[in-house]
Every structure is written in C-alpha cells, then in structure tokens.
Amino acid sequence: MLPRHALAARVRTGAWWTAYVKVSEGCDHACSFCIIPKIRGRHESRPMDDLVAEAASLAAEGTVEICLIAQDLTAYGRDLAGDASLARLLRALAVRVPEVRWLRLLYAYPASVTDELLEVVADEPAVCKYLDMPLQHISDRLLRAMRRERSGAAIRRLIARIRRAVPAIALRTSFIVGFPGETEADVRELCAFLEEAEFDHVGVFRYSQEENTPAAALPDQLPEPVKAERWKRVMAAQARVARRRAAAHRGQTAEVLVEGRDARGCLTGRTRGQAPEIDGRTYLKGRAEAGDIVQARIVGAETYDLVGEIIASG
Ligand code: SF4
C-alpha cells in the first residue's frame, strides 16, 4: 500500500473552479505503442478516503468541478481491499462532497466500462453525462497489432450499450493514425466509423515511434507526410460530425460553468459536455463571474463551440 497522498497528483491550472484529481497511477495493459507501463509500473489505486479528503479540500478552495484522471481510470479499485470501484468512488464523492457540482471522467479503458459505472453516470446528478474513452482505431487488424483488448465489433456493441444506458451522454475518444502497417482501407474504415458513431469530441494523434515499445520494431513504419495527410483527412471527417453534433444543441438549455473572458473580451464557459482544455467552449451573452454555474439557452453553434444566452444563475 502506498503512503497516504504518495500518489496525490492534483494539478492546479490557475482556474480554481476546476481541478484534476489522479485516482491511480500506472497501467496493467500492454498497448504495443505505449511506454507508460514501463515508466509508471503496475496500476495502483489511491485509497478512497484519501480521494474524498482531497476533493473536500478542493471544495473548500471553491472548486466546483473535478475531473478524475488516471492512466487507466476504469481500473480504479481493482487492487484495493473490499468492493472499491470507480462507480463506488463516484457515489462517495457525490454524497460526501456535495459542494463539487460536476464530476467528470477522463481516460476510461473500453473493456472495463461496467454496467455499474454507467448506472452511476446515468442517475447521479453530480456526475457529468460525459465519458472520455480512447479507442485508438476501429480496424480489427490494427487493434490486434496495437494489443488492445477489443475488436471493432466489440467497440460498436460497447458504444450502443453506453448510449442505451445514458442516452444524452457526450462521448469523447481519441485515435492514432499512421500506425505501422495502416492501409488506405483502414483509414477509410476509420472515417466511415466516425460518421457512424457520431462522437461529440475526437482527438486524432499521429503515431510516434516510442523507443522500447513493441510497435517501434514493427515493419511498415509509415513516412511522416503520409501520417500528416491521413491526420488531416480524419480530422476533416470528424469536423463534419462535430458541426452536426454541435448544431443539435441549439434551443436546448444547459448548465454552463463560467471561466472568464477570452482575449477578445467574450465571456466563455463550458457545458457538462465540454471538458477543460481538450473540448470546445461555450460563448456566453449575459453577466456572470468566473466560477459561477449558470443556466444558458444555446442559441448558436460553430464546429466545436456553442453560443449561449444566460437565462438564470445556477
Ligand atoms: S495506452 Fe493507456 S491503456 Fe494502453 S498501455 Fe498506455 S496507459 Fe495503458
């Protein structure tokens, strides 16, 4: 067992209303492109009471949003005694630290998204209906080469299961393009999958050959210009989807966490469906202060961002 707070990795971004809390360290998976298990070692969860205490101290500083992070978030609790799990941690945080209004999940591993977890996301008001779940690719051949634990068919079934359990969920994922041996057909399959799955937010990364990883030794490494062209194509495919997804929010009412003014002086914030730093933002008309949670009517949408009018304080 690690000493109390040995794993504490709270990252304060200067925005006191939001914080990242790392619930565990390390990873037991063996993705062929990733060096993290070698650097960080085996997965080790922080005790639940430590995490509740950290959340309470953040709440005392005014934090209203906590993003739970880890290299493998959904493995949380497996190595702890008793019945600890991410779902139980969320329930404990919601009950014991009610001042934190939004709890957000970043970096779920697809194979360990349980029904118990989806139930908490669906029915616990403090838990944002939002899930970040890196998928890396959809081609079976590449998923095998990446040593991921899911096939394309299993990923499709999982997304359907998540949306059945939490119909209004905002899904974020990330993909790698230009993995060794990736073909034009694989890229077409990925672009078609983006159209089919309609994710709200997608990160696309160009494969980078990490020393001492199995993927670095694979044949058929692709030249950088090929990776760059594929990255552009996949990003363009997702931009079309993102425009549709964003437009669908018009007319809805949403809670928005206000984050202050941008360089042009526009008031900005984020809905529960927009994570800090990685997703789009919501531009607001009306008066509010950074750290406020307000109700806004969404009146406009750009590719990745929304526009809202404040209709009530939160
Ligand atoms: S990509 Fe994520 S799940 Fe895979 S080995 Fe690295 S940290 Fe673990």
Side-chain angles (χ1 to χ4, degrees):
M1 174 72 65
L2 289 163
R4 190 176 159 80
H5 283 302
L7 289 173
R10 185 197 312 174
V11 181
R12 300 302 280 152
T13 58
W16 46 265
W17 51 88
T18 187
Y20 297 93
V21 170
K22 200 165 199 181
V23 302
S24 62
E25 186 64 87
C27 179
D28 293 342
H29 296 289
C31 303
S32 63
F33 52 84
C34 179
I35 194 71
I36 284 175
K38 276 195 184 143
I39 297 175
R40 301 293 170 94
R42 293 191 64 82
H43 175 262
E44 195 163 358
S45 305
R46 293 177 59 195
M48 217 187 279
D49 281 345
D50 273 15
L51 292 167
V52 171
E54 182 171 355
S57 95
L58 285 164
E61 293 169 17
T63 299
V64 290
E65 175 187 45
I66 286 181
C67 300
L68 299 181
I69 57 170
Q71 272 95 31
D72 179 3
L73 185 72
T74 34
Y76 178 76
R78 266 185 216 158
D79 52 315
L80 296 177
D83 51 9
S85 68
L86 183 58
R88 281 165 196 267
L89 173 63
L90 287 167
R91 295 264 191 227
L93 290 169
V95 170
R96 293 167 62 186
V97 198
E99 302 82 2
V100 173
R101 307 257 305 270
W102 293 6
L103 295 164
R104 186 184 298 284
L105 302 175
L106 298 176
Y107 315 129
Y109 189 84
S112 34
V113 173
T114 62
D115 288 343
E116 186 195 16
L117 176 64
L118 293 176
E119 214 177 291
V120 182
V121 177
D123 71 20
E124 176 52 65
V127 179
C128 295
K129 291 181 174 42
Y130 177 101
L131 187 66
D132 168 50
M133 181 178 68
L135 294 173
Q136 314 303 1
H137 217 288
I138 192 63
S139 145
D140 280 338
R141 205 172 48 77
L142 288 180
L143 287 166
R144 268 196 306 278
M146 289 176 173
R147 302 189 187 168
R148 300 287 290 177
E149 292 166 21
R150 286 264 159 173
S151 64
I155 286 172
R156 288 180 168 90
R157 282 196 300 275
L158 171 63
I159 291 167
R161 182 162 67 87
I162 293 172
R163 289 203 165 121
R164 263 197 313 277
V166 193
I169 197 164
L171 282 178
R172 177 186 178 82
T173 189
S174 49
F175 295 106
I176 294 173
V177 292
F179 190 80
E182 185 187 58
T183 62
E184 273 299 312
D186 295 322
V187 180
R188 282 197 299 274
E189 186 180 355
L190 181 54
C191 290
F193 176 61
L194 288 174
E195 286 286 341
E196 165 199 331
E198 297 224 304
F199 297 105
D200 298 86
H201 313 285
V202 172
V204 185
F205 300 94
R206 279 172 257 190
Y207 169 73
S208 114
Q209 203 170 357
E210 291 289 338
E211 258 181 67
N212 299 319
T213 59
L218 286 174
D220 303 322
Q221 301 282 333
L222 296 172
E224 289 305 321
V226 171
K227 294 181 199 172
E229 188 279 326
R230 290 180 179 181
W231 178 85
K232 246 192 198 159
R233 216 180 326 153
V234 175
M235 288 295 285
Q238 175 56 24
R240 288 192 290 275
V241 176
R243 265 194 292 278
R244 285 203 303 274
R245 296 293 290 176
H249 291 282
R250 275 179 208 261
Q252 294 178 352
T253 299
E255 263 188 335
V256 179
L257 171 53
V258 179
E259 298 208 282
R261 294 189 181 273
D262 69 4
R264 296 170 303 168
C266 296
L267 195 62
T268 70
R270 289 179 289 103
T271 65
R272 284 173 173 255
Q274 295 170 320
E277 303 180 282
I278 47 176
D279 298 333
R281 53 174 65 177
T282 300
Y283 292 95
L284 290 167
K285 296 172 188 164
R287 294 172 75 88
E289 300 295 325
D292 290 349
I293 292 181
V294 298
Q295 293 288 329
R297 183 176 300 111
I298 305 302
V299 295
E302 294 159 21
T303 306
Y304 300 107
D305 300 322
L306 301 175
V307 180
E309 287 173 355
I310 297 175
I311 52 175
S313 52

